[in-house]
Amino acid sequence: MRGTPEPLTWHGVEPAPWDGPDPVGWLRVAWRAPLLGGVMLLALAVSLALRPLERRIWGLSRPVTSRITQGACRAALAILGLRLGLTGRPMEGHGAMVANHASWLDIFALNAKASVYFVSKAEVAGWPGIGWLARATGTVFIRRERREAAAQVRLMRERLAHGHRLVFFPEGTSTDGRRVLPFKATLFAAFLSSDQPNLEIQPVSVVYRAPRGRDARFYGWWGDMEFGPHMLRMLSARRHGRIEVIYHPALRVADHPDRKALARKLEGVVRAGLKSAGALEQPAVQPAMAEA
């Protein structure tokens, strides 16, 4: 008897209603939106033009177009006015990274400083702009359904065998950025393979700092929140905060007895990173501060 699939949406306390941008906010949208869209389209066009030659020389590896993706993600954060801070260093070995998932902005933050391939839910492939870029940059699209679990594991093992460094969000859904949900262990089965004994997984904590005086969950995107209005809010914001990406030491997969133990360990490290940064289940509103 097949079990009931687990829900893929986390429903926390809903954010306060938002009436949309004010007139000055619309002016910010008017210049940020086309500039952001232009950067994404340019990166997509250049990547598609170079990919055939890159594939002929390096096969599935993307030493050139991955750099284009990194540049586009850095530019996107700059256009929005979102500062990016890093602690630690992205892994250089063979394996993957796992992180907590708070927003579609995670994609830009994690791609800005490391050459990675995301593992994403299949729905992302249909998103305007981001979906196109995701497909062009080699994102692995999966459906989180139990009957397809074995096929997803095979697909991830194939990509790992080609030396791809994967990034995925084991929570299975996004949150308000103030918590870490239990890591689902299913996809970790892809790493427990005897023919790749040296695989490592690096836990990464992504911390969002809201603009002064704004709800601490300002960047969170969860539950039934729609993508369009959330992006509009990001584009129209007068002042942005920052994102802090904490790269923890990578863990050797072979040092863990099974996928559940591996998932629990990684979850604990990611949660500890948010806690040490003061970003775990804190009060909903950050106090306003004087101008520097």
Side-chain angles (χ1 to χ4, degrees), residues 207-240:
V207 178
Y208 285 89
R209 306 293 189 185
R212 286 189 292 269
R214 304 301 291 267
D215 190 316
R217 305 166 300 166
F218 181 75
Y219 294 108
W221 177 57
W222 75 91
D224 296 325
M225 297 171 68
E226 296 182 2
F227 174 68
H230 192 275
M231 174 174 270
L232 185 64
R233 192 168 190 173
M234 299 300 103
L235 290 169
S236 64
R238 179 174 68 91
R239 180 185 292 111
H240 273 286

Side-chain angles (χ1 to χ4, degrees), residues 20-21 42 62 76 108 115 122-123 158 184 199 242 254 274 280:
L42 178 61
R62 296 171 178 256
F108 294 112
S115 178
E123 291 85 347
E158 179 183 349
K184 301 179 185 300
L199 284 178
R242 68 183 189 277
L274 265 71
L280 192 67

